[in-house]
Amino acid sequence: MDFLPTLTPEQLTAINLSLRIGFTATLCSLPFAVLVAFVLARGNFPGKTLLDAVVHLPLVLPPVVTGLLLLLLFGRRGPIGAFLYEHFNITFAFRWTGAALAAGVMGFPLMVRAIRLSIEAVDPRLEQAAATLGAPPLAVFFLVTAPLAAPGLLAGAVLGFAKALGEFGATITFVSNIPGETRTIPAEIYLLTQTPGGDQDAIVMSAVAAALAIGALVVSEFLAKRMKIETRGLSS
Amino acid sequence: MISVDVKLSRGEFSLQTAFASDSKITALFGHSGSGKTTLIELISGLARPDVGRIEIAGRVLVDTEKRIFIPARKRGVGLVFQDAQLFPHLSVAQNLRFAEFFAPKEGRRLPFARVVETLGIGHLMTRRPGQLSGGERQRVGVARALMAAPRLLLMDEPFASIDVARRTKAMELVELARDEFDTPVVLVSHQIEEVMRLAGQVVMIERGRIVEVGAPEDIFASAREETPSDRFGVGVSLACGEASFDAHYRLTKLHHPAGDIFLPDRVPPAQQTRVFVKAIDVSLAHRPPPDTSIRTLLRGKVVSVAATKGPLAMVSLELKGGEKLFASLTRMAVDELRIAPGGEVYCLVKAVALDERQVESV
């Protein structure tokens, strides 16, 4: 275990940045993912198939295309990007926030999928029971649906986080590869493989990436098990 | 006053019913798939009729013509689901508090402690629904619906999974809700026992249509022929005074205004005891039979005889002291003994037919 001291400051920066981008992307997209998953699981409206297709788009499009679309929409002169810059002074282009946006968008379909499945597994009659007791829809969601779907919410969040850590194509297209700003672990690895004699470091960084991904899975397994103990006897 | 007039079609199934009931407890009676549960969903607001109007105690809940549809949560209609539908992630106490929290802030409420005590669920408070038996879950379900202080209580086969001894007590709670809090009840059931005991009016449904509306005795007289097995469910619970125990014969003698009731073994000591007597365990005689093995003789008067062309007849009796009793006899016996309303009879109950499950202390 003596590879830790061999990490260069650049590599540590990349790891730090990746984690920050991963958490930001996951936390910011989670509420939207839950909302969309709920609408898809429980809703019954004309445009449902279309919404489902749009949500899945980042999964099927080449990441580079997603990155390009983000650049066109959220760039300084893009319609959304310009609006956000003028009114809220938020910039995405070539910033770590842009990397987080790209990571969030790429992980979105995965999160929605996992959360939607877990919401669909909640018996709608429990929600009906809550409604007949006088609970308004938001209370039903937060007190009944969400707690029962919690393991799926967690699984979705972990998937989204893992995806955010590994995102490369859309990120590099949208926000380039700027050290300390948008150079995440995958970007760092890519750069190292392009540098003569960088193979060794590339392998070390890959190991770090693998450790982070596995760590996230282990933590989520642990949390899911605790949740299961809390709702023991759920199915009986 | 409940008035329902609705039409709904769902694929193959179509429901078209209209009834009104003034009774405090109305029973929707029919086979499974007859549309009872759909009707419950319509009244509670979980389903919308294609066309129709639903009114409860002067309040219009649905009127498709006037585009009125009050959502379930604003109806004040409590629903006890067939399988309780308790929140599995909450403890029993939390399930009840959930209902209490969302109950209308104004108006009368059932006190938490009293509901818990009457349903006998005090020892379950910290448990989760997954750790309860079917009967316990159902009792908590009834308690939870009551905690929401509903203006109308809908019960979808609520006692199906409660054992006989507890059932009487659970039914008493329904009567308590009705009497003390003026909550009318609509009960879905295919148990004649429940309907006979509780309902003032029965709405009989078949394949989405109402076949008959009327008092339980009248309805079941005509229904008997088609549902011969149902006579096993009919019975009443009799309130008895203090018990005395004969150690030699190991028999308990319960005091009742119409006569002493004997049953095997000791029953838990109590000021008052209830015994559930099934219609099929009761025989009738005009005089006390001189030599019979039966020890329990109750004096009563025939109120009505319900018989059709089938083999069986159901006799409703009023015991001395005012309580009701049912006897299931053959039509032949009714004719040969000339059993008719107004006649004084002796009701014979076989002690061995009673067991401690049918007895409960009050």
PDB file of all heavy atoms in Angstrom, chain A residues 120-131:
ATOM      1  N   GLU A 120     -42.727   2.043  -8.229  1.00  0.00           N
ATOM      2  CA  GLU A 120     -43.753   1.147  -8.765  1.00  0.00           C
ATOM      3  C   GLU A 120     -43.994  -0.041  -7.843  1.00  0.00           C
ATOM      4  O   GLU A 120     -45.065  -0.637  -7.850  1.00  0.00           O
ATOM      5  CB  GLU A 120     -43.357   0.665 -10.168  1.00  0.00           C
ATOM      6  CG  GLU A 120     -43.679   1.693 -11.231  1.00  0.00           C
ATOM      7  CD  GLU A 120     -43.120   1.348 -12.602  1.00  0.00           C
ATOM      8  OE1 GLU A 120     -42.269   0.439 -12.708  1.00  0.00           O
ATOM      9  OE2 GLU A 120     -43.514   1.997 -13.561  1.00  0.00           O
ATOM     10  N   ALA A 121     -42.964  -0.382  -7.057  1.00  0.00           N
ATOM     11  CA  ALA A 121     -43.107  -1.522  -6.142  1.00  0.00           C
ATOM     12  C   ALA A 121     -43.915  -1.173  -4.887  1.00  0.00           C
ATOM     13  O   ALA A 121     -44.337  -2.053  -4.152  1.00  0.00           O
ATOM     14  CB  ALA A 121     -41.720  -2.041  -5.742  1.00  0.00           C
ATOM     15  N   VAL A 122     -44.150   0.120  -4.656  1.00  0.00           N
ATOM     16  CA  VAL A 122     -44.966   0.517  -3.495  1.00  0.00           C
ATOM     17  C   VAL A 122     -46.441   0.316  -3.852  1.00  0.00           C
ATOM     18  O   VAL A 122     -46.896   0.791  -4.890  1.00  0.00           O
ATOM     19  CB  VAL A 122     -44.714   1.998  -3.129  1.00  0.00           C
ATOM     20  CG1 VAL A 122     -45.633   2.431  -2.000  1.00  0.00           C
ATOM     21  CG2 VAL A 122     -43.260   2.190  -2.722  1.00  0.00           C
ATOM     22  N   ASP A 123     -47.164  -0.402  -2.999  1.00  0.00           N
ATOM     23  CA  ASP A 123     -48.567  -0.698  -3.253  1.00  0.00           C
ATOM     24  C   ASP A 123     -49.380   0.602  -3.293  1.00  0.00           C
ATOM     25  O   ASP A 123     -49.448   1.317  -2.296  1.00  0.00           O
ATOM     26  CB  ASP A 123     -49.097  -1.606  -2.134  1.00  0.00           C
ATOM     27  CG  ASP A 123     -50.488  -2.134  -2.452  1.00  0.00           C
ATOM     28  OD1 ASP A 123     -51.158  -1.563  -3.331  1.00  0.00           O
ATOM     29  OD2 ASP A 123     -50.896  -3.113  -1.809  1.00  0.00           O
ATOM     30  N   PRO A 124     -49.988   0.919  -4.437  1.00  0.00           N
ATOM     31  CA  PRO A 124     -50.732   2.186  -4.530  1.00  0.00           C
ATOM     32  C   PRO A 124     -51.870   2.268  -3.516  1.00  0.00           C
ATOM     33  O   PRO A 124     -52.318   3.362  -3.179  1.00  0.00           O
ATOM     34  CB  PRO A 124     -51.293   2.193  -5.955  1.00  0.00           C
ATOM     35  CG  PRO A 124     -50.786   0.998  -6.635  1.00  0.00           C
ATOM     36  CD  PRO A 124     -50.035   0.148  -5.678  1.00  0.00           C
ATOM     37  N   ARG A 125     -52.308   1.115  -3.031  1.00  0.00           N
ATOM     38  CA  ARG A 125     -53.412   1.170  -2.070  1.00  0.00           C
ATOM     39  C   ARG A 125     -52.979   1.748  -0.726  1.00  0.00           C
ATOM     40  O   ARG A 125     -53.808   2.247   0.031  1.00  0.00           O
ATOM     41  CB  ARG A 125     -54.043  -0.203  -1.905  1.00  0.00           C
ATOM     42  CG  ARG A 125     -54.957  -0.519  -3.111  1.00  0.00           C
ATOM     43  CD  ARG A 125     -55.632  -1.830  -2.939  1.00  0.00           C
ATOM     44  NE  ARG A 125     -54.657  -2.833  -2.588  1.00  0.00           N
ATOM     45  CZ  ARG A 125     -54.953  -3.963  -1.985  1.00  0.00           C
ATOM     46  NH1 ARG A 125     -56.194  -4.224  -1.654  1.00  0.00           N
ATOM     47  NH2 ARG A 125     -54.013  -4.831  -1.721  1.00  0.00           N
ATOM     48  N   LEU A 126     -51.659   1.683  -0.439  1.00  0.00           N
ATOM     49  CA  LEU A 126     -51.169   2.341   0.777  1.00  0.00           C
ATOM     50  C   LEU A 126     -51.318   3.850   0.624  1.00  0.00           C
ATOM     51  O   LEU A 126     -51.669   4.558   1.570  1.00  0.00           O
ATOM     52  CB  LEU A 126     -49.702   1.987   1.023  1.00  0.00           C
ATOM     53  CG  LEU A 126     -49.437   0.560   1.507  1.00  0.00           C
ATOM     54  CD1 LEU A 126     -47.952   0.268   1.504  1.00  0.00           C
ATOM     55  CD2 LEU A 126     -50.007   0.379   2.897  1.00  0.00           C
ATOM     56  N   GLU A 127     -51.046   4.345  -0.592  1.00  0.00           N
ATOM     57  CA  GLU A 127     -51.213   5.772  -0.853  1.00  0.00           C
ATOM     58  C   GLU A 127     -52.695   6.134  -0.783  1.00  0.00           C
ATOM     59  O   GLU A 127     -53.063   7.204  -0.286  1.00  0.00           O
ATOM     60  CB  GLU A 127     -50.627   6.120  -2.232  1.00  0.00           C
ATOM     61  CG  GLU A 127     -49.109   5.968  -2.261  1.00  0.00           C
ATOM     62  CD  GLU A 127     -48.552   5.865  -3.669  1.00  0.00           C
ATOM     63  OE1 GLU A 127     -49.339   5.845  -4.630  1.00  0.00           O
ATOM     64  OE2 GLU A 127     -47.321   5.807  -3.808  1.00  0.00           O
ATOM     65  N   GLN A 128     -53.534   5.234  -1.289  1.00  0.00           N
ATOM     66  CA  GLN A 128     -54.980   5.479  -1.217  1.00  0.00           C
ATOM     67  C   GLN A 128     -55.436   5.514   0.234  1.00  0.00           C
ATOM     68  O   GLN A 128     -56.250   6.362   0.616  1.00  0.00           O
ATOM     69  CB  GLN A 128     -55.738   4.381  -1.967  1.00  0.00           C
ATOM     70  CG  GLN A 128     -55.470   4.388  -3.458  1.00  0.00           C
ATOM     71  CD  GLN A 128     -56.268   3.321  -4.179  1.00  0.00           C
ATOM     72  OE1 GLN A 128     -56.774   2.381  -3.570  1.00  0.00           O
ATOM     73  NE2 GLN A 128     -56.382   3.467  -5.485  1.00  0.00           N
ATOM     74  N   ALA A 129     -54.905   4.597   1.025  1.00  0.00           N
ATOM     75  CA  ALA A 129     -55.267   4.566   2.445  1.00  0.00           C
ATOM     76  C   ALA A 129     -54.911   5.896   3.096  1.00  0.00           C
ATOM     77  O   ALA A 129     -55.706   6.471   3.838  1.00  0.00           O
ATOM     78  CB  ALA A 129     -54.555   3.415   3.147  1.00  0.00           C
ATOM     79  N   ALA A 130     -53.712   6.400   2.780  1.00  0.00           N
ATOM     80  CA  ALA A 130     -53.283   7.678   3.345  1.00  0.00           C
ATOM     81  C   ALA A 130     -54.224   8.797   2.910  1.00  0.00           C
ATOM     82  O   ALA A 130     -54.570   9.674   3.703  1.00  0.00           O
ATOM     83  CB  ALA A 130     -51.851   7.981   2.923  1.00  0.00           C
ATOM     84  N   ALA A 131     -54.652   8.751   1.649  1.00  0.00           N
ATOM     85  CA  ALA A 131     -55.547   9.787   1.143  1.00  0.00           C
ATOM     86  C   ALA A 131     -56.891   9.742   1.867  1.00  0.00           C
ATOM     87  O   ALA A 131     -57.427  10.787   2.242  1.00  0.00           O
ATOM     88  CB  ALA A 131     -55.749   9.628  -0.363  1.00  0.00           C
TER      89      ALA A 131
END
